[in-house]
């Protein structure tokens, strides 16, 4: 199954049209968040990430532009501004925004723009993966711990924190949600078996039958598989 990409829309006028265009032309995207309030968006993006962000330029004065730029934690995540003024768009691009769409947003312009930023995003992400040789930085209170992705046995949710269990029997507490790790690690053979558990299938030792069932991991932890995820999990393991 193709991995989903994740979009957020901050727009007071064209939110519905942008949403419909995205669903029609790019079904690989899920729309995680929509709002016309810049503060709500800031609060959401401070705890979550997105693969693409659509923002109505009318919402974005100088303060808002600076605010949004802080949430580009991944330098390759594109922000597309929607505006009725090329001058405003150029000002936004100088602030690091990826691209823009002029109102009224036409179907062809939308498809061309989104395709362009997706291609650039994929190329840059691929280069980033090669550059870091399948490593990931886990931020800690003291700085960050750099580990090989294949050293991660499992990730466990605890509110807005995630516990990362490593093959050297250490545990790292990270102030990111399990959802963020799911998006970043799914392509490395990780699977979310439960709302609390994301596991590295390479470290799976055993599956125990049951209503949802349980898995035994390399660290001998026994984790529940949710009934909702059971069939997809078993299908992936065949």
């Amino acid at each position: 199954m193709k991995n989903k990409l994740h979009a957020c829309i901050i727009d007071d006028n064209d939110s519905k049209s942008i949403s419909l265009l995205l669903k029609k032309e790019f079904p690989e995207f899920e729309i995680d968040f929509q709002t016309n309030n810049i503060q709500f968006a800031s609060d959401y993006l401070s705890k979550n990430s997105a693969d693409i962000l659509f923002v109505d330029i009318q919402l974005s004065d100088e303060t808002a532009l600076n605010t949004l730029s802080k949430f580009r934690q991944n330098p390759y995540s594109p922000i597309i501004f929607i505006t009725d003024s090329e001058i405003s768009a150029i000002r936004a691009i100088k602030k690091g925004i990826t691209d823009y769409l002029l109102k009224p947003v036409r179907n062809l312009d939308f498809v061309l723009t989104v395709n362009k930023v997706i291609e650039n995003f994929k190329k840059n992400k691929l280069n980033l993966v090669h550059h870091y040789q399948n490593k990931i930085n886990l931020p800690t209170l003291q700085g960050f711990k750099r580990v090989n992705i294949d050293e991660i046995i499992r990730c466990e949710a605890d509110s807005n924190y995630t516990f990362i269990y490593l093959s050297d029997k250490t545990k790292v507490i990270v102030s990111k949600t399990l959802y963020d790790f799911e998006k970043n690690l799914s392509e490395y053979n990780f699977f979310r078996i439960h709302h609390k558990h994301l596991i590295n299938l390479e470290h799976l030792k055993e599956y125990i039958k049951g209503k949802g069932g349980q898995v035994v991991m390399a660290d001998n932890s026994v984790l529940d598989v949710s009934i909702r995820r059971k069939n997809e999990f078993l299908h992936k393991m065949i």
Side-chain angles (χ1 to χ4, degrees), residues 49-110:
S49 58
D51 295 312
I52 192 167
L53 180 64
F54 295 91
V55 181
D56 188 330
I57 197 73
Q58 299 303 321
L59 293 175
S60 302
D61 56 18
E62 198 71 22
T63 302
L65 275 174
N66 292 333
T67 300
L68 283 170
S69 66
K70 294 178 183 177
F71 299 107
R72 297 191 67 201
Q73 296 176 357
N74 181 344
Y76 301 124
S77 294
I79 299 176
I80 297 178
F81 269 70
I82 304 160
T83 178
D84 53 10
S85 167
E86 286 193 357
I87 295 174
S88 297
I90 291 169
R91 180 170 65 90
I93 287 173
K94 287 181 178 179
K95 285 285 185 179
I97 306 310
T98 308
D99 216 321
Y100 68 93
L101 288 165
L102 287 176
K103 298 179 182 179
V105 178
R106 297 187 303 170
N107 190 307
L108 180 60
D109 291 339
F110 181 84

Side-chain angles (χ1 to χ4, degrees), residues 137-146 172-176:
N137 292 336
L138 302 177
T140 65
L141 291 176
Q142 294 76 30
F144 65 86
K145 184 178 178 72
R146 187 166 171 75
V172 183
I173 302 174
V174 181
S175 59
K176 287 188 176 182

